[in-house]
Amino acid sequence: MKKIFILVTGVVFLSGIIFPLSALAHKVKIFAAVEGKSIDGYAYYTSSSRPKNVKIILAGPGGKVIDELISNEQGEFDTEARYRVDTLVKLDSADGHSAEWLITKEEFPADLPEYPGAGETLKDVNTGQEPSTSLAEAATGNAVSLAADTKELAALIRSELVPLQKQLAQLRAELAEQEEKKKLQDILGGIGYLIGLAGIASYIAARRRKEH
Amino acid sequence: MHIADGVLSGPVIAVSSTLALAGVGIGLSKVDYDTIPKAGILSATFFVASLMHINIGPSSAHLLLTGLLGLLLGWTAFPALAAALLMQTLFFGYGGLTTLGANTLNAGAAAVICHALFFPFIRKEGGRPATPFWIGFWAGGIGILLNGLFFALTLFLSDRDFGETILAVLLAHLPIIVIEAFVTGSAVAFLKKVKPELLQKGPLVS
């Protein structure tokens, strides 16, 4: 028994090391971000390959479908951002995989319309979170021209922010991918748990044997 | 061939979890003192084997070793698989907690069937003994094939119009069937040479 123990353990450990850890994966993930006025994103396996032509669903509050897309050959997809609302980007491939990514309301540009029928989200806007809205409102009291200026200014600021948004999106995507990389300690941890479980089982069995 | 959370319907989860639990129970009741280390090591082997990915065309599939576990463990494969699948979910995010039962059942049933089909050939005394390699070869191949069919059945029963995609997934696994057959065949031939008792002892199913 001892010999085979050492042997199989050796094989287990070796195989963990021989097969390049970076190329291991099975889980599908999805990433999406707002860039300018569109939603861009892609689906990927944690092995860095990407699933092609999969169905992507954009869902608003309560799971109502806003949009349905098919990713392209590179696993990427993009669509026009329609509403300023928490949007759940879902992938549902037929082979038993699914993944989600939430784009929060705050990521959408302020001049997009609110999602129709989302009463509770409407309230948030009027609490003065949005500089453009509140500024514009204040402006109507004084002069119309000021309102127009503010709007122009807001648009200018937004356009200046686009490259930053892009960089941020890229960073977040990289971070999400990094988290999924399998680490050697995960593998060793799992093996340890299983051998440990067998150890506990052996102990219980040995005690039972003694009692008899 | 792990099924993720949120893919299966409620009834399918309930039924498969119950059956898997029954399988684990039967497996534990058949465990004897000497099989525990074997089950532990094979459980760890299964855990690691799923990391060995083989890219085939657009899709990628990984080794399972369902056949090997079934051949060597019989019903005890159920608890061994359940533990390894739980670890895969927790550490790697393969499969899911709600689908743990379904994944255990799919692999466990395939393993037990493999044991019933191929273990008698190993134990056969007198007459011309079958070559260990070929016993392992067939057990490995049939094991993954059955695993795939149960996987497809589970998805199908969840009332999803997956017909074509299920077929595509099964086709993508054809090369894996061949690879796994060779791996299991070599493993069994090797074990027969260095540790024949491991294969001859048969208190696991009796």
Side-chain angles (χ1 to χ4, degrees):
Chain A
M1 201 69 210
K2 210 175 190 182
K3 229 195 252 166
I4 194 73
F5 236 129
I6 295 165
L7 197 105
V8 181
T9 322
V11 171
V12 168
F13 277 82
L14 268 182
S15 51
I17 292 156
I18 290 168
F19 288 81
L21 298 181
S22 56
L24 319 163
H26 198 51
K27 204 174 164 186
V28 71
K29 300 278 289 178
I30 192 164
F31 177 78
V34 180
E35 282 179 23
K37 283 201 175 178
S38 70
I39 297 173
D40 289 10
Y42 57 88
Y44 59 99
Y45 290 119
T46 36
S47 57
S48 81
S49 63
R50 292 181 177 183
K52 298 162 193 168
N53 309 322
V54 284
K55 196 163 114 184
I56 313 283
I57 295 167
L58 305 185
K64 273 182 210 141
V65 175
I66 299 176
D67 207 351
E68 268 190 32
L69 322 158
I70 302 284
S71 72
N72 66 12
E73 288 292 317
Q74 278 79 47
E76 295 159 352
F77 55 89
D78 65 289
T79 182
E80 189 195 346
R82 296 189 198 167
Y83 304 110
R84 191 163 183 277
V85 66
D86 288 350
T87 305
L88 198 61
V89 185
K90 283 192 287 195
L91 174 149
D92 195 353
S93 77
D95 57 354
H97 292 118
S98 66
E100 295 180 346
W101 180 273
L102 182 73
I103 305 176
T104 54
K105 196 178 140 189
E106 283 72 30
E107 290 177 54
F108 289 97
D111 55 350
L112 276 181
E114 287 291 325
Y115 189 63
E120 64 275 18
T121 49
L122 268 173
K123 267 181 260 161
D124 301 340
V125 179
N126 295 332
T127 50
Q129 255 185 346
E130 309 314 322
S132 63
T133 327
S134 51
L135 273 178
E137 271 169 10
T140 43
N142 301 326
V144 186
S145 63
L146 187 58
D149 280 353
T150 339
K151 261 187 192 155
E152 256 171 47
L153 194 63
L156 187 70
I157 292 170
R158 258 203 302 283
S159 69
E160 288 292 321
L161 282 176
V162 168
L164 206 64
Q165 269 179 340
K166 262 190 189 149
Q167 282 179 340
L168 216 74
Q170 211 177 349
L171 260 172
R172 287 177 64 181
E174 276 169 21
L175 199 71
E177 256 175 81
Q178 203 63 42
E179 270 175 13
E180 283 307 318
K181 286 247 165 74
K182 258 158 235 83
K183 294 176 190 96
L184 186 62
Q185 51 263 48
D186 285 343
I187 298 169
L188 296 180
I191 294 170
Y193 259 103
L194 293 169
I195 305 277
L197 277 176
I200 293 169
S202 298
Y203 167 72
I204 294 168
R207 267 183 72 127
R208 236 183 242 162
R209 219 189 200 188
K210 228 173 162 186
E211 279 164 18
H212 286 302
Chain B
M1 273 195 245
H2 298 74
I3 303 170
D5 278 330
V7 175
L8 296 180
S9 69
V12 171
I13 287 177
V15 172
S16 58
S17 300
T18 314
L19 288 175
L21 206 64
V24 172
I26 296 172
L28 286 177
S29 73
K30 285 184 188 293
V31 165
D32 75 340
Y33 191 70
D34 292 324
T35 53
I36 293 171
K38 194 161 83 173
I41 298 283
L42 280 167
S43 179
T45 311
F46 175 86
F47 172 76
V48 174
S50 70
L51 294 175
M52 296 171 198
H53 273 254
I54 294 142
N55 289 315
I56 312 141
S59 161
S60 92
H62 58 78
L63 290 183
L64 279 165
L65 299 183
T66 321
L68 184 66
L69 260 78
L71 201 58
L72 294 179
L73 293 176
W75 279 99
T76 310
F78 261 99
L81 285 166
L85 284 166
L86 177 65
M87 294 306 151
Q88 286 176 347
T89 301
L90 297 180
F91 281 96
F92 307 143
Y94 294 177
L97 287 176
T98 58
T99 53
L100 187 62
N103 288 327
T104 305
L105 181 67
N106 291 344
V112 170
I113 292 171
C114 267
H115 187 95
L117 284 179
F118 298 108
F119 199 74
F121 288 105
I122 292 181
R123 297 176 73 192
K124 195 154 79 181
E125 283 158 28
R128 211 160 57 92
T131 325
F133 176 82
W134 290 109
I135 298 170
F137 183 88
W138 286 106
I142 302 283
I144 204 160
L145 181 68
L146 287 171
N147 202 160
L149 290 177
F150 292 143
F151 164 87
L153 187 69
T154 317
L155 285 180
F156 183 74
L157 287 177
S158 273
D159 203 24
R160 303 177 72 109
D161 45 351
F162 276 171
E164 277 174 35
T165 0
I166 290 173
L167 200 68
V169 172
L170 287 180
L171 283 178
H173 274 82
L174 282 180
I176 289 285
I177 292 177
V178 178
I179 293 166
E180 182 134 328
F182 273 103
V183 169
T184 311
S186 315
V188 171
F190 181 71
L191 288 176
K192 182 81 181 170
K193 221 177 253 171
V194 297
K195 203 73 187 170
E197 318 76 285
L198 207 63
L199 293 166
Q200 268 159 9
K201 238 193 241 167
L204 304 169
V205 166
S206 57

